[in-house]
């Protein structure tokens, strides 16, 4: 493979013709996304089994690196809900220190994928597999938040889905109605907030009310998670509700820059972490590039560079572990928020990271007052929006292959984990694809006149369909002596080495019967394979021998 190394962040192109108006739009979008990202970063980290500051500094450092070095104009990077289940499972099995090593190694893998220009390969992952594991992860995220939503007193939650359900069922006696009420209010508010500022609501209000339009526009732009976080935290603090908060579980968030820590690294450890490393890299690549494709569809800006994006993701994931961070990737919700808020360049992503940093350094201790049940409500809302649930109702419209891949990947994600689900899903996709392609190949007998037997080949003669040449072999073996077998390959569009071997076996049978094999009307690709392998010369030599003998 020839490597043509090219490292050109989209920021360099975005700066050409950059003016004050675009800067103002980017700053406004960056501030909005930064406020939205603040509660999500904490919630994702806590749900993953880490401290809230791990999520905050991941959003800051990874978000900054991805915006400065990435291949998309508007993509926002940081901790993502898809990583919750993966990170929690890695921590339980390998520990936090090994999570940091696996994340750094995944960064190297991602950068190498971009360097080798493998970004476009992610597009070949079937959409049924993507929907299956995305819906599965959404279910797992929702299940992991039920404990904090109900306020159950459980020291440590297991990673397995069914064990989680059993553990929570065994601790239902510790149900906290205050925590449940806050979580329910948060979840309900997040669903209702966008509808409160819908255009039809404005149409029902008196037009003469001064400032109505302006107030409605401001209200529509205030992110629902921020409103829920602030109002419910104040409510809980004012009435001193007996609920667990970030401060009571994790202590105050430090108002200082994170320390640089070098994890204990050895090749023996890296070998043990191959599976989590590949899982983080694979999920990071899929999530970031899918997010970038969504951003391309929603904006009129230049399309993203998938290879540059992977290299930026690699740099970000290599850096954040040294500051106690978690895996990062492109985030769809924050990227869409950035686009809808008017973001036009990676400058908005930089402002988003700086906004979170400013809030952490100035008002970090206030985060300790946030009830965990409120964060659980936010994550339940994220899980609901993350899943494409309508796809289950539309399964009847698709083929059996599509249903098998989607439902199989979904079930494996919930029962086992994402790695198993994607591996089995891709294997199933390959098997089903081979079966589908083999069904498209057929051999049709068009003439039988004495010793002359003519067949017509259709489709692709490859390893999955090579056995269908046996139909011709049987016709030759049961036919007249010294047959003249003609294969019309006008409609044969593809031939691989297994298909060529099947033709060679047919040729041997024809020779044993004292006959000749004619391969006619070859298309360019089959013709190249036949000539390169020397089979055309073998057929020509056989025909020449027959003419001499005659």
């Amino acid at each position: 493979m020839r490597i043509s190394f090219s490292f050109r962040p989209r920021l360099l192109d975005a700066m050409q013709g950059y003016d004050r108006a675009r800067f103002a739009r980017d700053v406004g979008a960056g501030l909005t996304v930064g406020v939205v990202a603040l509660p999500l970063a904490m919630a994702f980290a806590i749900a993953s089994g880490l401290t809230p500051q791990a999520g905050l500094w991941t959003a800051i450092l990874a978000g900054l690196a991805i915006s400065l070095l990435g291949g998309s104009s508007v993509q926002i990077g940081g901790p993502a809900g898809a990583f919750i289940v993966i990170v929690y499972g890695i921590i339980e099995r390998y520990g936090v220190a090994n999570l940091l090593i696996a994340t750094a190694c995944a960064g190297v893998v991602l950068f190498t994928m971009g360097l080798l220009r493998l970004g476009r390969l992610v597009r070949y992952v079937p959409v049924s597999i993507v929907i299956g594991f995305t819906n599965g992860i959404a279910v797992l995220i929702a299940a992991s938040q039920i404990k904090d939503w109900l306020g159950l007193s459980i020291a440590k939650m297991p990673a397995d889905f069914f064990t989680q359900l059993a553990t929570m069922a065994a601790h239902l006696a510790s149900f906290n109605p205050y925590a449940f009420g806050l979580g329910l209010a948060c979840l309900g508010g997040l669903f209702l907030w966008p509808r409160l500022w819908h255009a039809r609501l404005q149409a029902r209000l008196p037009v003469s009310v001064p400032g109505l339009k302006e107030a409605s526009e401001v209200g529509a732009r205030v992110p629902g998670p921020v409103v829920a976080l602030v109002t419910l935290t104040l409510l809980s603090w004012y009435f001193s509700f007996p609920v667990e908060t970030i401060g009571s579980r994790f202590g105050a968030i430090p108002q200082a820059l994170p320390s640089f820590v070098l994890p204990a690294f050895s090749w023996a450890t890296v070998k043990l972490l191959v599976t989590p490393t590949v899982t983080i890299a694979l999920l990071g690549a899929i999530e970031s590039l899918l997010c970038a494709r969504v951003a391309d569809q929603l904006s009129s800006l230049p399309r993203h560079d998938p290879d540059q994006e992977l290299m930026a993701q690699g740099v970000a994931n290599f850096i954040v572990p040294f500051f106690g961070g978690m895996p990062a990737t492109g985030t769809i919700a924050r990227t869409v928020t950035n686009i809808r808020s008017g973001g036009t360049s990676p400058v908005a992503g930089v402002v988003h990271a700086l906004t979170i940093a400013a809030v952490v350094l100035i008002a970090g201790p206030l985060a300790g007052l946030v009830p965990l049940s409120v964060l659980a409500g936010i994550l339940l809302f994220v899980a609901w929006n993350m899943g494409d649930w309508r796809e289950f109702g539309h399964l009847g419209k698709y083929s059996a292959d599509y249903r098998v891949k989607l439902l199989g990947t979904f079930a494996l994600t919930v029962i086992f984990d994402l790695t198993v689900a994607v591996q089995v899903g891709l294997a199933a996709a390959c098997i089903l694809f081979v079966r589908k392609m083999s069904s498209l190949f057929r051999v049709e007998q068009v003439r039988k006149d004495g010793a002359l037997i003519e067949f017509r080949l259709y489709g692709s003669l490859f390893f999955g369909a090579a056995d269908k040449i046996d139909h011709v072999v049987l016709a030759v073996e049961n036919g007249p002596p010294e047959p003249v077998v003609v294969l019309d390959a006008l409609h044969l569009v593809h031939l691989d080495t297994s298909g060529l071997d099947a033709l060679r076996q047919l040729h041997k049978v024809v020779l044993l019967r004292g006959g000749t094999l004619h391969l006619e009307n070859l298309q360019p690709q089959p013709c190249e394979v036949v000539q390169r392998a020397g089979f055309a010369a073998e057929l020509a030599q056989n025909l020449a021998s027959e003419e001499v003998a005659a």
Side-chain angles (χ1 to χ4, degrees):
M1 178 183 295
R2 185 175 65 86
I3 301 175
S4 178
F5 180 72
S6 175
F7 188 88
R8 184 175 178 81
R10 181 56 55 86
L11 181 64
L12 298 178
D13 298 324
M15 289 297 97
Q16 298 177 9
Y18 196 73
D19 54 25
R20 187 176 300 177
R22 287 184 62 192
F23 178 70
R25 293 174 63 187
D26 285 338
V27 170
L31 290 172
T32 302
V33 179
V35 173
V36 172
L38 191 71
L40 294 178
M42 291 189 295
F44 291 153
I46 292 172
S48 301
L50 297 167
T51 61
Q53 53 263 38
L56 291 171
W57 284 107
T58 298
I60 295 167
L61 297 175
L64 195 61
I66 291 170
S67 294
L68 289 174
L69 305 176
S72 171
S73 299
V74 291
Q75 176 138 282
I76 303 296
F83 275 119
I84 290 176
V85 180
I86 301 300
V87 172
Y88 193 92
I90 293 174
I91 292 175
E92 185 181 57
R93 184 175 300 178
Y94 301 98
V96 175
N98 287 328
L99 167 68
L100 301 180
I101 295 174
T103 303
C105 292
V108 176
V109 173
L110 284 166
F111 188 89
T112 304
M113 289 173 64
L115 179 65
L116 297 178
R117 298 187 175 278
L118 300 179
R120 290 167 179 79
L121 292 181
V122 175
R123 297 181 181 179
Y124 294 108
V125 178
V127 66
S128 54
I129 293 179
V130 174
I131 294 174
F133 80 67
T134 302
N135 285 10
I137 290 174
V139 169
L140 293 175
I141 291 174
S144 69
Q145 296 310 299
I146 295 176
K147 165 193 173 276
D148 286 332
W149 183 24
L150 301 181
L152 304 181
S153 298
I154 301 175
K156 183 174 176 58
M157 283 286 288
D160 178 70
F161 174 72
F162 295 105
T163 308
Q164 284 181 347
L165 297 182
T167 302
M168 288 186 288
H171 291 79
L172 283 178
S174 60
F175 170 73
N176 185 331
Y178 296 95
F180 176 74
L182 288 172
L184 185 62
C186 176
L187 191 59
L190 291 175
F191 278 106
L192 292 175
W193 180 255
R195 294 166 175 79
L196 294 177
W197 304 103
H198 196 275
R200 286 178 294 182
L201 175 63
Q202 297 182 33
R204 290 198 297 267
L205 295 174
V207 180
S208 59
V209 177
L212 174 63
K213 181 179 179 181
E214 292 76 8
S216 298
E217 290 178 351
V218 172
R221 291 186 178 183
V222 177
V226 176
V227 176
L229 188 75
V230 173
T231 56
L232 294 176
T233 298
L234 289 174
L235 182 69
S236 175
W237 170 77
Y238 183 79
F239 288 102
S240 301
F241 288 155
V243 295
E244 193 173 18
T245 64
I246 290 178
S248 64
R249 182 181 293 184
F250 300 101
I253 295 178
Q255 289 179 280
L257 297 174
S259 302
F260 180 85
V261 178
L262 192 64
F265 178 87
S266 68
W267 283 113
T269 303
V270 172
K271 292 178 182 178
L272 295 175
L273 297 175
V274 170
T275 298
T277 295
V278 172
T279 302
I280 293 172
L282 179 63
L283 181 57
I286 293 174
E287 282 287 307
S288 62
L289 296 184
L290 286 178
C291 177
R293 290 180 65 183
V294 171
D296 289 343
Q297 296 169 2
L298 295 178
S299 70
S300 58
L301 297 168
R303 295 177 64 85
H304 75 284
D305 180 348
D307 301 315
Q308 181 64 40
E309 189 62 33
L310 285 183
M311 287 189 280
Q313 299 287 340
V315 172
N317 280 282
F318 183 77
I319 291 174
V320 292
F322 298 110
F323 297 92
M326 60 186 292
T329 186
T331 56
I332 293 179
R334 278 158 276 175
T335 298
V336 172
T337 301
N338 183 34
I339 295 171
R340 291 178 176 172
S341 300
T344 66
S345 77
V347 172
V350 174
V351 174
H352 133 270
L354 296 178
T355 300
I356 302 174
V359 173
V360 171
L361 295 176
I362 295 172
L366 295 179
L369 301 175
V370 176
L372 294 178
S373 57
V374 174
L375 291 181
I378 292 175
L379 283 183
L380 287 169
F381 182 71
V382 169
W384 173 259
N385 287 326
M386 183 178 179
D388 192 354
W389 311 111
R390 290 174 297 182
E391 215 41 42
F392 288 124
H394 297 160
L395 284 177
K397 301 179 181 178
Y398 299 106
S399 65
D401 291 356
Y402 183 93
R403 295 195 294 269
V404 168
K405 287 183 287 187
L406 193 154
L407 295 176
T409 306
F410 172 77
L412 289 171
T413 301
V414 173
I415 298 172
F416 296 100
D417 59 43
L418 177 67
T419 308
V420 174
V422 173
Q423 289 174 348
V424 175
L426 289 175
C430 292
I431 293 172
L432 293 173
F433 177 77
V434 169
R435 191 186 73 170
K436 184 72 173 179
M437 292 302 296
S438 64
S439 68
L440 297 178
F441 175 79
R442 73 180 194 274
V443 180
E444 180 181 307
Q445 184 173 329
V446 294
R447 185 167 55 164
K448 184 175 182 182
D449 185 8
L452 175 63
I453 311 175
E454 183 177 352
F455 295 87
R456 193 168 292 156
L457 307 181
Y458 295 86
S460 174
L461 180 53
F462 71 115
F463 65 90
D467 62 320
K468 294 188 178 182
I469 296 297
D470 292 345
H471 172 66
V472 182
V473 173
L474 289 173
V476 173
E477 290 178 338
N478 298 325
E482 299 183 359
V484 178
V485 181
V486 178
L487 298 181
D488 183 358
L490 179 63
H491 302 287
L492 182 68
V493 296
H494 177 263
L495 177 68
D496 73 352
T497 53
S498 297
L500 179 64
D501 182 68
L503 293 179
R504 275 201 163 112
Q505 297 301 320
L506 170 63
H507 189 211
K508 290 179 181 179
V509 173
V510 172
L511 292 178
L512 289 174
R513 298 282 294 172
T516 57
L517 176 65
H518 301 259
L519 196 56
E520 300 177 349
N521 302 322
L522 282 169
Q523 297 294 331
Q525 191 276 339
C527 183
E528 180 186 358
V529 173
V530 168
Q531 290 180 349
R532 191 174 62 243
F535 186 51
E538 294 175 19
L539 293 176
Q541 182 179 4
N542 174 233
L543 292 175
S545 300
E546 288 292 325
E547 291 176 359
V548 171

